[in-house]
Amino acid sequence: MKKIFGGINLTWPKLIIMAIILGVYTAIMAMLPIAKNTSFSDLTVSFEVWIFLGIFIIMNSKSPKDSALKCFIFFLISQPLVYLVQDIIKHSNLFNTYYRFWVLWTIACIPMGFIGYYMKKDKWWGLLILIPMLLLTGEMCAGYLSDTMFSFPRHLLTTIFCMASLIIYPLAIFNNKKIKITGVVISGLLIISIFAICIINPPKYSTIILYNGDEYQFDDSYNVYLVDKKYGNLSVEYDAGLEDWALHADFKKAGKTEFVIESPDGKKTTFDISIKRSTYTIKEKNN
């Protein structure tokens, strides 16, 4: 790991080739239907891989100025390509829609790359420079761990990558034993906190799946339930905004099951339901 974080001769041609390859690869992952909502497409929506690449560039730069320029040029090439490749293939307009956000981060890479270089000095303030990157990686790790718990094994690789990065960064960046140990302890506490948060506050997807009158009639006198309780629970609740009844769901797990609407006279209507992290599909069964 020490070779990756400081032992590579990162020339400008290598940096530019790396930026082009990663920009095109990210665009492909964003377009592949099979990669959607998996670890392979996560780098299209979050920062954990790009933080790794930024630290990689910083640690293999020769000076603060070299670090700032290389970080800036790397992201100046790779990020537009992510959108431009998709625009060319899909005839979309993603560049104009999203790059206005990413260009701000690209400009910010100049001071971040300059300051980040001083992590190489192996001083305590180098750990202070690293801590915001540890916190940001930890925040994303918490989100992906929650997603993995809800729809295992989706995003498992990204979750493992984030946790491994939290431990590897202080070990690989610093030589001073005390700084290294302190960094690992901070990362360890972050990981423990992430697990604790996800266990205490497990993932849940709350939504309305039916409204009264949308082909089906029901009110609070009806009994509604998921056939397999491990997927969550259903309830009939009054929607004050619509002044009508709605079938509310609190899903705890992705998968396929059935749910039942049972009238007071015992008539049952059964539905197949496919649950995902932030969406669902339902279909009435032949009863």
Side-chain angles (χ1 to χ4, degrees):
M1 294 307 296
K2 280 291 185 182
K3 181 171 179 60
I4 294 176
F5 291 95
I8 293 175
N9 181 22
L10 186 61
T11 62
W12 280 103
K14 289 179 182 177
L15 179 88
I16 292 169
I17 291 170
M18 184 173 72
I20 293 171
I21 291 173
L22 284 163
V24 173
Y25 172 79
T26 304
I28 292 171
M29 289 300 104
M31 291 185 290
L32 277 181
I34 195 172
K36 187 177 181 180
N37 294 322
T38 70
S39 294
F40 297 99
S41 66
D42 289 341
L43 81 168
T44 67
V45 295
S46 55
F47 293 153
E48 66 286 335
V49 173
W50 302 106
I51 289 174
F52 172 85
L53 293 168
I55 293 176
F56 169 80
I57 294 168
I58 288 168
M59 296 305 296
N60 288 290
S61 296
K62 296 178 175 61
S63 69
K65 181 180 177 181
D66 186 52
S67 175
L69 289 175
K70 282 180 176 174
C71 284
F72 174 68
I73 295 300
F74 173 80
F75 286 100
L76 186 66
I77 294 171
S78 62
Q79 298 312 304
L81 278 176
V82 173
Y83 303 114
L84 291 173
V85 170
Q86 293 183 75
D87 285 348
I88 291 169
I89 295 175
K90 297 168 60 178
H91 304 290
S92 56
N93 193 33
L94 296 175
F95 180 85
N96 289 334
T97 304
Y98 294 107
Y99 190 61
R100 66 185 67 181
F101 167 75
W102 271 106
V103 73
L104 298 177
W105 279 102
T106 301
I107 294 170
C109 285
I110 298 174
M112 289 193 294
F114 190 95
I115 295 169
Y117 179 83
Y118 288 94
M119 291 189 295
K120 298 180 67 171
K121 299 298 183 180
D122 208 31
K123 302 293 184 181
W124 282 103
W125 33 263
L127 180 58
L128 294 177
I129 294 171
L130 178 63
I131 283 175
M133 289 177 270
L134 295 179
L135 293 174
L136 186 55
T137 301
E139 179 186 4
M140 289 178 290
C141 183
Y144 283 121
L145 177 60
S146 179
D147 288 344
T148 300
M149 291 171 62
F150 189 92
S151 51
F152 186 86
R154 287 183 181 272
H155 307 290
L156 178 61
L157 292 178
T158 303
T159 303
I160 294 172
F161 175 85
C162 289
M163 290 185 179
S165 297
L166 288 171
I167 299 299
I168 288 170
Y169 291 152
L171 287 176
I173 291 172
F174 304 110
N175 293 313
N176 184 300
K177 190 174 181 180
K178 290 182 179 180
I179 300 175
K180 191 192 299 275
I181 291 173
T182 303
V184 171
V185 168
I186 292 171
S187 293
L189 291 173
L190 270 174
I191 292 171
I192 292 170
S193 300
I194 289 165
F195 273 106
I197 290 169
C198 290
I199 291 171
I200 295 171
N201 186 29
K204 182 171 69 173
Y205 169 35
S206 297
T207 186
I208 300 295
I209 59 176
L210 282 176
Y211 283 99
N212 181 42
D214 289 349
E215 299 184 43
Y216 307 98
Q217 299 291 325
F218 55 86
D219 55 33
D220 61 345
S221 66
Y222 281 64
N223 183 29
V224 295
Y225 55 91
L226 289 164
V227 172
D228 192 337
K229 303 294 185 183
K230 71 181 180 184
Y231 289 100
N233 56 76
L234 303 179
S235 60
V236 176
E237 300 180 2
Y238 188 75
D239 189 317
L242 293 176
E243 298 183 345
D244 209 343
W245 298 97
L247 184 55
H248 182 268
D250 286 321
F251 296 125
K252 300 176 182 178
K253 182 180 175 66
K256 295 181 179 180
T257 185
E258 299 175 350
F259 74 91
V260 177
I261 300 178
E262 184 178 357
S263 67
D265 62 6
K267 180 183 177 181
K268 296 182 179 180
T269 306
T270 305
F271 299 81
D272 287 318
I273 182 166
S274 177
I275 306 163
K276 296 183 180 179
R277 185 64 180 95
S278 59
T279 188
Y280 66 90
T281 56
I282 61 174
K283 183 179 179 181
E284 183 179 354
K285 298 187 71 171
N286 293 325
N287 296 283

